[in-house]
Amino acid sequence: MNTACSGTAMRADVVIIGGGPAGMMAAIAAAEEGASVCLLEPNERLGKKLNITGKGRCNLTNDCDLEEFLRNVPRNGRFLYSAYSRFTSADVMVFFEELGVPLKTERGNRVFPVSDRAFDISGALERRLKKLRVSILRDRAEALMIQDGVLRGIKGEKADYEAGQVVVATGGVSYPLTGSTGDGYRLAKQAGHTVQEPRGSLVPLCAAGELCASLQGLSLKNVALRVYENNKKIYSDFGEMLFTHFGVSGPMVLSASAHMRHFDKKQYRLEIDLKPALDEPALDKRLLADFAKHANSDFINSLDELLPRKLIEPFVLLTEINPHQKVHDLTKEQRRRVLTLLKALPIEVTGPRPVAEAIVTSGGVTVKEVNPSTMESKLLPGLYFAGEVLDVDAYTGGFNLQIAWCTGRLAGKSAAGEI
């Protein structure tokens, strides 16, 4: 059945709010079930945020089993058991390859399009929507239309959209320029839902002191990172990071931030292992060899082979060794201080950057008020939620997009099944 217009109102079986990954998948799933579907998206382009994920490459899922998936969803993972079981990462891979997008699997079971182009993913979804005759309308949802406790549709800025089934897939509040402006939270509250305060996950981190600011713009590759919560190690990673004027960012730091969830109650510290390929005895031998080579040099001039140039002066400051002390005068204790800092350069974290700078929003519609088997509201029949608007979020590696795909598909199919 096609959507139909009546004056300034449009009628459809299902209205989807949001043209991101969860919304597009919900629209496709509902239309495949034979429903007439109207998709509301205020942006000129669908999948605006999707197109910048993975540095434009789009890590669309993680090729893992259910238990591994749930281990990577620290917030309300069990809520996703049914959604994932019905549309697994393997199903997602088949889905996109059948849409003509060849895929590849990289380190950590991360799945990307062979082309390394996120636009190939969003383009395939748009072609599928068009083939299924989903009506895509450039409008923003203002309010739910509820009459006598019954959901009647959506009031938009430009028109009304009459429907008995509505899927809210508006995303969170991260990257607001992509359209994630918190509209879904407002609609959920209108229906009586509780919304957990949104905050950033996969977000850059602010640091105390002047070290990071002095290193602004320096990128470190092939280093190890450890995260401590109240002096207990809770996470470690290996890869790339970046110093900024406010603290630290980069792939490793964004991943680490997802494990740092209690800034109001706990203290966090990062330690950077600048020489992860060498254990302490091997690194000590390296130091002895380097110092022997530069025995008559000033200490500050002996570190060129160990550290990036921009890091040398701040590093020397941290050792509390006189930069102009001759290397042959360094004591065993001073050498030990250098070794310790090379293996554990400390950064005291004061908190995350604002949620608008996060890749993913943590918080959202309380999952206890949503049926995990259908994604339908327990408070207002006919209302469904999918994707980042829900209070679920995951670590990096394709898990957050997998949440969008599987909850979107389940919401769309469930909504169409109620027609």
Side-chain angles (χ1 to χ4, degrees), residues 48-60:
K48 195 170 180 182
K49 185 176 174 184
L50 177 66
N51 289 330
I52 61 174
T53 61
K55 295 183 179 178
R57 295 178 63 216
C58 189
N59 179 191
L60 70 145

Side-chain angles (χ1 to χ4, degrees), residues 286-299:
R286 165 77 186 273
L287 282 175
L288 285 168
D290 279 15
F291 288 169
K293 193 190 303 183
H294 299 283
N296 295 316
S297 300
D298 289 355
F299 173 53

Side-chain angles (χ1 to χ4, degrees), residues 42-72:
N43 282 322
E44 279 305 304
R45 244 204 118 107
L46 298 179
K48 195 170 180 182
K49 185 176 174 184
L50 177 66
N51 289 330
I52 61 174
T53 61
K55 295 183 179 178
R57 295 178 63 216
C58 189
N59 179 191
L60 70 145
T61 190
N62 191 284
D63 188 12
C64 65
D65 61 18
L66 172 64
E67 289 307 316
E68 179 67 15
F69 170 72
L70 295 179
R71 275 196 294 274
N72 281 277

Side-chain angles (χ1 to χ4, degrees), residues 24 28 50 95-96 121-129 405:
M24 286 190 281
I28 288 168
L50 177 66
F95 174 85
F96 281 105
I121 298 296
S122 58
L125 293 167
E126 287 193 64
R127 288 191 298 274
R128 184 63 178 154
L129 290 166
W405 306 133

Side-chain angles (χ1 to χ4, degrees), residues 88-410:
T88 66
S89 56
D91 295 328
V92 168
M93 293 166 71
V94 170
F95 174 85
F96 281 105
E97 292 200 314
E98 287 182 347
L99 290 185
V101 184
L103 304 176
K104 61 181 176 180
T105 303
E106 298 186 357
R107 181 179 63 87
N109 295 322
R110 291 167 163 85
V111 179
F112 295 87
V114 169
S115 65
D116 286 329
R117 280 174 43 88
F119 283 102
D120 289 352
I121 298 296
S122 58
L125 293 167
E126 287 193 64
R127 288 191 298 274
R128 184 63 178 154
L129 290 166
K130 187 175 180 180
K131 188 172 183 179
L132 291 166
R133 297 185 179 179
V134 171
S135 295
I136 300 169
L137 299 168
R138 308 299 171 186
D139 200 356
R140 182 183 297 281
E142 284 192 330
L144 301 173
M145 294 195 298
I146 304 171
Q147 188 176 2
D148 298 326
V150 177
L151 181 62
R152 301 294 186 188
I154 288 292
K155 186 172 193 59
E157 289 180 348
K158 299 176 182 177
D160 293 344
Y161 305 90
E162 298 173 359
Q165 313 296 316
V166 172
V167 179
V168 177
T170 51
V173 288
S174 55
Y175 287 170
L177 291 178
T178 65
S180 299
T181 53
D183 287 355
Y185 302 148
R186 179 170 44 78
L187 297 173
K189 287 177 181 177
Q190 186 191 346
H193 279 277
T194 307
V195 175
Q196 299 299 322
E197 184 69 27
R199 64 170 187 79
S201 182
L202 309 184
V203 65
L205 299 170
C206 299
E210 298 176 8
L211 174 66
C212 294
S214 71
L215 296 172
Q216 180 179 349
L218 176 64
S219 177
L220 298 179
K221 296 181 180 180
N222 300 319
V223 296
L225 183 71
R226 296 183 294 271
V227 179
Y228 291 85
E229 181 182 82
N230 289 353
N231 293 319
K232 177 185 176 184
K233 188 169 85 168
I234 60 168
Y235 180 72
S236 60
D237 200 359
F238 175 86
E240 184 178 345
M241 63 175 290
L242 173 72
F243 290 99
T244 72
H245 67 284
F246 56 77
V248 284
S249 187
M252 269 202 311
V253 171
L254 297 179
S255 296
S257 72
H259 299 260
M260 304 161 75
R261 295 173 172 265
H262 307 288
F263 286 102
D264 55 334
K265 296 183 254 182
K266 298 181 180 178
Q267 292 184 317
Y268 292 96
R269 182 180 81 258
L270 306 180
E271 286 184 356
I272 306 168
D273 185 346
L274 296 164
K275 299 294 172 186
L278 301 174
D279 61 17
E280 288 200 6
L283 182 56
D284 197 34
K285 284 183 183 177
R286 165 77 186 273
L287 282 175
L288 285 168
D290 279 15
F291 288 169
K293 193 190 303 183
H294 299 283
N296 295 316
S297 300
D298 289 355
F299 173 53
I300 196 167
N301 296 324
S302 68
L303 302 171
D304 285 359
E305 295 172 40
L306 276 170
L307 296 170
R309 181 164 296 277
K310 194 168 187 175
L311 181 53
I312 291 174
E313 191 173 331
F315 183 89
V316 169
L317 198 62
L318 287 172
T319 66
E320 298 181 340
I321 299 171
N322 184 330
H324 300 295
Q325 182 176 333
K326 295 300 180 184
V327 170
H328 60 69
D329 288 335
L330 291 175
T331 65
K332 185 177 180 180
E333 172 55 37
Q334 287 175 321
R335 192 176 81 244
R336 162 59 55 180
R337 220 178 300 160
V338 173
L339 188 149
T340 299
L341 279 172
L342 286 170
K343 296 297 287 181
L345 187 74
I347 296 174
E348 296 297 330
V349 176
T350 57
R353 289 292 285 174
V355 65
E357 296 179 30
I359 293 176
V360 171
T361 304
S362 180
V365 177
T366 299
V367 296
K368 289 179 181 177
E369 299 167 358
V370 179
N371 185 337
S373 299
T374 61
M375 296 295 126
E376 186 176 21
S377 165
K378 292 180 180 179
L379 308 182
L380 182 62
L383 180 64
Y384 300 79
F385 298 98
E388 201 177 346
V389 72
L390 289 160
D391 185 20
V392 289
D393 64 276
Y395 301 139
T396 55
F399 302 104
N400 285 291
L401 271 178
Q402 176 62 38
I403 292 172
W405 306 133
C406 66
T407 57
R409 191 157 189 86
L410 181 54

